[in-house]
Amino acid sequence: MAGVFEVEVDGVEHDHGHHDEPNQVDLSHLSPEEKWRLEHARMHVKHKGHESMHAEMVLILIVTLVIAQLVLVQWKQRHPKSYNLVTLFQMWVVPLYFTTKLHWWRFLVTWFIFSVVTAYVTYRATRKPLACTTPRLVYKWFLLLYKISYATGIVGYTVVMFTLFGINLIFRIKPEDAMDFGVSLLFYGLYYGVLGRDFAEMCADFMASTVGYYSASGMPTKHLSDSICAVCGQPILVDVSEEGIIENTYRLSCNHVFHEFCIRGWCIVGKKQICPYCKEKVDLKRMFSNPWERPHVMYGQLLDWLRYLVAWQPVIIGLVQGINYILGLE
């Protein structure tokens, strides 16, 4: 049976249907655009004369956002570990709920693969005693994930910009298809970039404290030799002045040396901008002097900012809707 409804705008009922069913619209014969216009008209009729209620809802939204931001900032400053763990859990679960509800199977497949591999890597990173091959495995995985998410996000952003400038028409691609593709890639890149950095930071803390050359507070439990990497605890085989076949050796401003994969994973992916041994501030611009590497640092900062939107914004909006429901506001 075709769906029908009545439409009334500005106090006048409009007859859009059959003569035997006055004041009704047969939805089966309407285009998607016409259906949207009718729904839009219904929304205006429904909310007409509710300006004071809408003002209350806006005020509740603003107050809730301000209070939530203050609470989150204080929580992060006073109890950073619990804040990071809860945020990581939120990042992992909240998108899963919405994508399952919307039946986004491609995201669910990639989420499952990411979760399985990352769970295995995290398990390896939290074992004691720590296997000698684990730190390199962990940093290579998260560095690879970071690069893939970075490339995916850039491609998605490029597709979106090309669509806005109409370049998709050259290839006879519909604007809505091109925009959906670009936004999807941008979402994948940003989401897995943020989630990967958070898991990498957690693993970096576990591994570095287990190796013994780093502790979050206090002195390290081991003395660092000039030929040992403080991140993974393995010997350094390539001199700083030599070009390595697989990876190079980096020397920080404090003169401590590290494997390239280790220090990149520690600083960029693991978000530890201090020397793993002496805790001196790391100058990322000096360490990555190549201008093509600078965007990786800025991209990491962007991911840190987006964490709030992905993890906590849906929770805050849900809280606002709950308050509106209790107060009887629509």
Side-chain angles (χ1 to χ4, degrees), residues 113-127 130 133-143 145 196 199-200 202-204 206-207:
I113 296 174
F114 166 84
S115 299
V116 170
V117 178
T118 303
Y120 171 74
V121 171
T122 304
Y123 174 81
R124 289 281 301 271
T126 54
R127 296 306 93 193
L130 191 68
T133 58
T134 297
R136 306 297 297 280
L137 169 68
V138 172
Y139 285 118
K140 282 184 178 180
W141 162 245
F142 284 115
L143 194 58
L145 180 65
F199 272 108
M202 182 180 66
C203 291
F206 273 110
M207 291 190 303

Side-chain angles (χ1 to χ4, degrees), residues 159-220:
V159 172
V160 170
M161 295 306 297
F162 280 2
T163 305
L164 293 178
F165 286 106
I167 299 179
N168 59 291
L169 299 177
I170 299 177
F171 303 98
R172 297 183 179 181
I173 301 176
K174 295 181 180 180
E176 54 269 23
D177 294 339
M179 186 62 72
D180 288 345
F181 179 71
V183 171
S184 297
L185 287 181
L186 190 59
F187 169 75
Y188 280 108
L190 294 176
Y191 174 72
Y192 288 114
V194 173
L195 201 59
R197 276 170 64 83
D198 283 353
F199 272 108
E201 182 181 20
M202 182 180 66
C203 291
D205 281 334
F206 273 110
M207 291 190 303
S209 60
T210 303
V211 170
Y213 294 110
Y214 171 83
S215 60
S217 60
M219 297 296 292

